[in-house]
Amino acid sequence: MFTKPVLLVIAHGSRDPRHAATVHALVRRVRSMRPDVRVETGFLDFNIPSVQGVLESLAAQGVRDVVALPLLLTRAFHAKADIPAVLRDAPPQLRIRQAEVLGPSPLLLSALERRLYEAGLTPADKSSTGVVLASAGSSDPEAIAVIAEIAREWRHTGWCAVRPAFASASLPRTQDAVRALRALGCGRVAVAPYVLAPGFLPDRIARGAVEADVSGDVLGAAPEVARVLLERYDTAAVPVLTAVGA
């Protein structure tokens, strides 16, 4: 029997079936890592179950405490507006705490490197390789600033250079960042998609990476991502567990 707050993973959703499949794979990994926690998945759009539907189902089952975790890498519009709006409409008997988004985190940088090594790079290649940190993009200045800061921090781990790029809303685009790193003199150029699941914008990143030497896969169900997710859950759940003496 579960005694801890239910973890509700809130994903954006997509018409692309690869998106939901990747989200479910990540959630399966999380469940395997923490069998003491009940983990549910809800989608804001396109896919089922909806967030509202899951919340109503949990309330009907007698659940009282929920940690709602946005499956997002930056704190932009969905985390600031869409998700809080959905949670405000939840059944009143539910006590819901919204966890922080996944990024930034050193574990996510480890996951990015995992994907690049899986694509063919080795740790010995770092000093001669420039990396494009390619994100979906946002019109939120805070989110853009976070991506730029992550690129600066990642550069200090030994890469030749790291440049941010965006698939929408902001510049530069992936292909322009690849060319800029070539012009800088990096021996090879790699593209690291800073996205969680496949879909329209990740496909745009992949098209922009055609001139790169190496392009990593999306973060997906990487174990580091699952660990970050559980860290965010634990942080949000602590006040609830303290209140009930767990």
Side-chain angles (χ1 to χ4, degrees):
M1 181 178 179
F2 297 104
T3 59
K4 296 182 179 180
V6 171
L7 168 55
L8 173 57
V9 177
I10 301 179
H12 182 273
S14 172
R15 292 186 178 90
D16 189 322
R18 297 174 298 167
H19 174 89
T22 302
V23 171
H24 290 312
L26 174 60
V27 169
R28 285 194 297 272
R29 184 181 287 276
V30 170
R31 287 184 179 129
S32 71
M33 294 169 65
R34 289 289 296 275
D36 60 320
V37 176
R38 178 177 174 181
V39 187
E40 300 292 341
T41 308
F43 295 90
L44 290 174
D45 206 355
F46 301 116
N47 303 104
I48 55 174
S50 68
V51 175
Q52 187 65 28
V54 174
L55 291 171
E56 290 173 358
S57 176
L58 291 173
Q61 295 168 42
V63 170
R64 290 296 175 263
D65 293 304
V66 176
V67 170
L69 192 149
L71 198 59
L72 302 168
L73 294 172
T74 57
R75 182 173 157 75
F77 182 78
H78 293 305
K80 294 177 179 178
D82 284 353
I83 291 176
V86 172
L87 298 181
R88 282 195 296 270
D89 289 336
Q93 61 266 46
L94 292 176
R95 295 184 291 261
I96 304 175
R97 298 182 64 85
Q98 181 175 328
E100 290 296 326
V101 298
L102 300 184
S105 167
L107 284 169
L108 294 178
L109 292 182
S110 297
L112 287 168
E113 293 199 4
R114 169 191 291 274
R115 294 304 188 221
L116 290 179
Y117 296 153
E118 290 169 350
L121 289 182
T122 71
D125 296 324
K126 289 185 73 168
S127 62
S128 59
T129 301
V131 179
V132 177
L133 179 67
S135 74
S138 173
S139 58
D140 188 309
E142 178 186 347
I144 297 304
V146 167
I147 298 298
E149 180 60 27
I150 292 170
R152 284 191 290 270
E153 290 182 3
W154 203 16
R155 163 67 181 84
H156 294 313
T157 66
W159 297 102
C160 172
V162 180
R163 296 286 178 88
F166 308 94
S168 68
S170 303
L171 295 174
R173 295 288 182 257
T174 302
Q175 58 268 31
D176 297 323
V178 169
R179 292 165 188 161
L181 289 171
R182 292 263 189 239
L184 194 63
C186 296
R188 66 179 62 78
V189 176
V191 173
Y194 191 59
V195 291
L196 285 167
F200 178 76
L201 293 178
D203 284 350
R204 181 179 288 178
I205 290 172
R207 291 193 297 272
V210 293
E211 296 180 20
D213 300 291
V214 173
S215 183
D217 199 358
V218 299
L219 294 172
E224 296 89 349
V225 178
R227 287 173 58 195
V228 175
L229 197 153
L230 287 169
E231 284 183 358
R232 299 293 185 257
Y233 166 80
D234 287 336
T235 299
V238 163
V240 177
L241 296 175
T242 301
V244 300

